[in-house]
Amino acid sequence: MKNLIKAEWLKLSKSSVFKVLLFINLAAAILYMCTFPRTGYRGFRFGIAYCFYHTNIALIFTAAFLCEDFSNKSFGKSLLSGYSRKKILLAKVIIFWVGMVLLLSSFACSTTITSSLLNGFGMDLNMENCKNILFFIFCGILGCTSISSVMILFSTTIKSKIPTIMVFYLVFFPIEYLKNNYRFYENGDDILKFLKCTYVYQVNILYQNEDGIEFGFQPGIFFLVHIVTIIVTLVISLIIFEKTEFK
């Protein structure tokens, strides 16, 4: 298992696509903060909560790091080396999570540093504010891991780059569109109220106001939804991976 993780980390560190995505994050953050000035604290929160941008970057990374291994038969080669399917997938998942968090962090750090240099951080770093910052970082990482797990499920099921990206768009962006354009699900039918438990809704609540933990954010629901999402998607991914034939 340790050797598999080392091999996946080496693959990530040498990935030209991953390096390009890190550079794009840096350039996009600097350009955006220079074009739309804000304080460092707002830039920090924007960097974590910009779901639309993160999703597009993540899908490119998913296609390059996960789907590529199905097309170039890397998984089959690992099986021939005597590793179990469970260990092969787990090693891939761990490093994929690491890569996704690094991509999220690179954009968030770049927006924070750029906007702080231009306009200051915008708030005192007292104990209460530091707790809120750490809490928001934790929520961002948890949401990033949750969405990553869904991408793992899609790529394991579909095994092809373009179809994986298309299917994720069909699932993610209708929710994003409803969240941004309609409020009828706030007190409407129960079938639509589930949108309030999604990452794209809850992280938007966290981002909207400038200080503190905002009204409408429900930590219990947020954590439960994402932990269940991570567990369920990984279990299903493993079941599918176990039944996949590698040539």
Side-chain angles (χ1 to χ4, degrees), residues 38-43 112 115-116 119-125 129 210-211:
R38 61 194 72 198
T39 63
Y41 182 60
R42 293 294 287 167
T112 304
S115 52
S116 295
N119 303 294
F121 191 68
M123 66 185 304
D124 296 328
L125 292 178
N129 289 334
E210 292 194 4
D211 303 305

Side-chain angles (χ1 to χ4, degrees), residues 21-245:
L21 292 177
L22 289 174
F23 176 78
I24 290 174
N25 276 348
L26 174 61
I30 294 174
L31 179 62
Y32 203 98
M33 291 301 105
C34 290
T35 305
F36 302 99
R38 61 194 72 198
T39 63
Y41 182 60
R42 293 294 287 167
F44 157 73
R45 298 174 65 140
F46 172 82
I48 289 181
Y50 196 6
C51 291
F52 181 85
Y53 176 81
H54 288 308
T55 300
N56 284 279
I57 292 292
L59 284 171
I60 297 173
F61 179 54
T62 301
F65 193 71
L66 289 177
C67 298
E68 182 69 21
D69 277 4
F70 285 103
S71 59
N72 66 16
K73 303 179 181 179
S74 294
F75 287 129
K77 294 174 184 176
S78 297
L79 285 172
L80 292 175
S81 299
Y83 295 105
S84 68
R85 290 178 179 244
K86 183 177 180 180
K87 290 182 177 180
I88 292 170
L89 182 61
L90 184 58
K92 174 66 71 173
V93 166
I94 290 172
I95 301 303
F96 181 70
W97 278 342
V98 170
M100 289 285 283
V101 171
L102 288 175
L103 289 172
L104 172 73
S105 302
S106 66
F107 186 75
C109 288
S110 299
T111 55
T112 304
I113 293 171
T114 303
S115 52
S116 295
L117 290 174
L118 292 173
N119 303 294
F121 191 68
M123 66 185 304
D124 296 328
L125 292 178
N126 55 41
M127 185 62 69
E128 186 64 28
N129 289 334
C130 286
K131 286 181 180 178
N132 287 338
I133 290 171
L134 291 174
F135 180 77
F136 196 49
I137 290 173
F138 176 77
C139 290
I141 292 175
L142 180 62
C144 177
T145 305
S146 176
I147 291 178
S148 301
S149 300
V150 175
M151 291 183 178
I152 290 168
L153 174 59
F154 285 173
S155 62
T156 304
T157 304
I158 302 170
K159 304 177 182 63
S160 182
K161 297 177 183 178
I162 302 302
T164 296
I165 293 174
M166 292 177 63
V167 170
F168 195 88
Y169 275 138
L170 290 175
V171 173
F172 176 81
F173 285 104
I175 295 177
E176 177 73 7
Y177 180 81
L178 287 173
K179 184 265 296 181
N180 287 330
N181 292 279
Y182 296 97
R183 310 300 298 181
F184 58 78
Y185 58 80
E186 292 283 359
N187 298 303
D189 296 334
D190 289 338
I191 194 171
L192 294 173
K193 287 182 181 179
F194 84 96
L195 291 173
K196 297 177 69 173
C197 302
T198 61
Y199 178 63
V200 292
Y201 177 87
Q202 290 292 323
V203 80
N204 187 67
I205 292 296
L206 275 175
Y207 171 68
Q208 281 177 348
N209 299 322
E210 292 194 4
D211 303 305
I213 303 303
E214 286 70 15
F215 176 77
F217 178 71
Q218 300 171 290
I221 292 177
F222 182 87
F223 299 145
L224 179 61
V225 167
H226 292 298
I227 289 172
V228 169
T229 298
I230 292 169
I231 294 173
V232 171
T233 52
L234 288 185
V235 169
I236 296 174
S237 297
L238 180 58
I239 293 173
I240 294 173
F241 193 76
E242 290 279 4
K243 296 181 179 298
T244 299
E245 294 185 7

